[in-house]
Amino acid sequence: YNIDILANAQVTKILCKPQQTTQAMMAYGVQLNGIQHQNVYIDEDRAGEVIVCGGAIGSPHLLLLSGIGEAEQLQQHNIAMQCEVPGVGRNLRDHIMQGFRVTFKDENLRNQPGIVYDGTLFQNLSAMKQYVMTGKGPMAGTGLDAHIFTKSCVAAKHATRKSNDLQLVQVLIGEEVQGDRATQQTATYFNYDNEKDDQTKWRKKNQWITDDEMQKSVLATVMLVRPQSVGALTLQSADPRKSPAIDPKYLSHPDD
C-alpha cells in the first residue's frame, strides 16, 4: 500500500454526506487545519474509509466538531448536526495512577555502585559495552521490568468482578542527586508539598526519610485498572483549536 504521512496536519473535521441508497450519513474525507482547500478525500471506488484514532480525548472531540454527537450540545455551538449520537463524549474512564518512592534502609545495599545509583562515566560506558557485546546488563531492560496485576479488597468482595483491578509497577528510575532538583521533581510529579503547607498538594508524611535514601530509591506506581468513576467530555467552542471541557470525576465512585 502507498501511505502518505502528513506532518503538522491536524484533522479538524470529518466530512460527511448521505449515502445514495439509504440516505444514512457516511464519511467521505477529512478537513485539515480548518482550511477547506486542504480537504483529503477517501477513495470510494476502493471502499476507502475514515479511521478515527485520536484516543479517549481526541476522538470524541473530533466527532463533536464534525457534527456527530448529542443534538443539544451541537446546537449550543452552532454546529450542523450530521448524525445524532448521544453517547459521544460520555462514559469517560481514566486509569488514575499514584507514584511513590521505594527506599532502602540497608545502607550497604543503598550505596552499592551501579548505573542506577549515581553511576560514573566509566560505569555507564561499561554497561553500554556489556549490552552491545552480550545483550545483557542494566541497559538490557526497559526500566519497567516488574508488573503485578492483583485484586483489591473491593474487587474481592464482588463476586461478579473476577479479574484484577489493580496494577503495581516498579520503574527503574533513580532520584535526582541534587537536593533542590529532587524536591522540585517530587512536587511536580507526585504533587508533594515539601516546603510549606499547601492545601492543594499531598503532605509528605515520611519526614524521617533522609535525602540520601530518597536519592538512592526507585520509583513505583499503583494504577486503577478497572475504574468505576465515569466522567464526560464536552465542547467549549466550535473552534478546533480550543480544548474541550473535561470532567473526569476522579474517585467519584466509592469503589475507586
Side-chain angles (χ1 to χ4, degrees):
Y1 295 98
N2 294 324
I3 300 177
D4 294 328
I5 299 177
L6 306 180
N8 303 317
Q10 180 184 0
V11 176
T12 52
K13 186 178 182 180
I14 300 172
L15 305 175
C16 300
K17 66 179 182 181
Q19 288 181 328
Q20 294 181 355
T21 54
T22 64
Q23 294 301 305
M25 299 303 293
M26 62 169 288
Y28 68 94
V30 295
Q31 186 177 97
L32 302 180
N33 302 323
I35 303 174
Q36 189 171 359
H37 70 261
Q38 290 188 358
N39 292 350
V40 177
Y41 304 102
I42 65 174
D43 189 344
E44 297 183 49
D45 295 335
R46 297 187 179 182
E49 58 185 349
V50 175
I51 300 175
V52 180
C53 51
I57 305 300
S59 290
H61 187 211
L62 176 60
L63 291 172
L64 291 169
L65 291 171
S66 306
I68 304 170
E70 189 178 80
E72 182 179 355
Q73 184 180 175
L74 299 176
Q75 291 170 1
Q76 291 177 355
H77 299 283
N78 297 317
I79 298 176
M81 186 179 68
Q82 303 295 334
C83 186
E84 185 174 6
V85 185
V88 175
R90 306 298 176 183
N91 197 33
L92 178 63
R93 298 171 188 252
D94 197 0
H95 303 282
I96 59 174
M97 178 175 63
Q98 176 62 50
F100 55 93
R101 308 286 322 179
V102 178
T103 61
F104 302 89
K105 298 302 296 181
D106 188 323
E107 187 173 354
N108 292 328
L109 175 64
R110 192 168 70 242
N111 289 293
Q112 285 185 4
I115 189 171
V116 178
Y117 304 128
D118 194 20
T120 64
L121 176 61
F122 176 76
Q123 290 168 338
N124 292 341
L125 292 175
S126 297
M128 185 179 297
K129 179 182 178 181
Q130 183 183 13
Y131 173 69
V132 172
M133 299 297 293
T134 67
K136 300 179 180 179
M139 290 189 176
T142 64
L144 297 169
D145 300 315
H147 292 251
I148 300 175
F149 289 90
T150 184
K151 282 187 178 181
S152 68
C153 59
V154 174
K157 294 178 181 178
H158 293 270
T160 57
R161 298 185 188 176
K162 299 180 180 181
S163 57
N164 299 320
D165 64 336
L166 282 181
Q167 179 181 2
L168 305 177
V169 184
Q170 177 263 320
V171 187
L172 199 61
I173 301 177
E175 180 61 281
E176 283 285 349
V177 176
Q178 298 179 1
D180 293 341
R181 292 188 63 181
T183 299
Q184 181 181 2
Q185 284 201 355
T186 54
T188 302
Y189 298 116
F190 300 108
N191 204 37
Y192 278 161
D193 175 17
N194 293 327
E195 299 293 339
K196 57 185 179 181
D197 190 11
D198 187 342
Q199 298 299 323
T200 66
K201 293 184 177 294
W202 299 98
R203 297 195 64 182
K204 186 177 178 181
K205 295 182 179 180
N206 299 330
Q207 300 291 342
W208 48 267
I209 295 180
T210 65
D211 290 341
D212 185 66
E213 289 173 341
M214 283 295 293
Q215 290 166 5
K216 299 167 184 175
S217 62
V218 296
L219 175 66
T221 63
V222 59
M223 182 187 303
L224 193 60
V225 177
R226 299 186 179 276
Q228 301 300 308
S229 301
V230 179
L233 176 148
T234 56
L235 290 176
Q236 292 192 90
S237 168
D239 185 349
R241 296 168 297 182
K242 183 82 171 179
S243 299
I246 303 171
D247 183 7
K249 294 189 181 299
Y250 291 140
L251 305 179
S252 59
H253 194 284
D255 286 358
D256 293 347

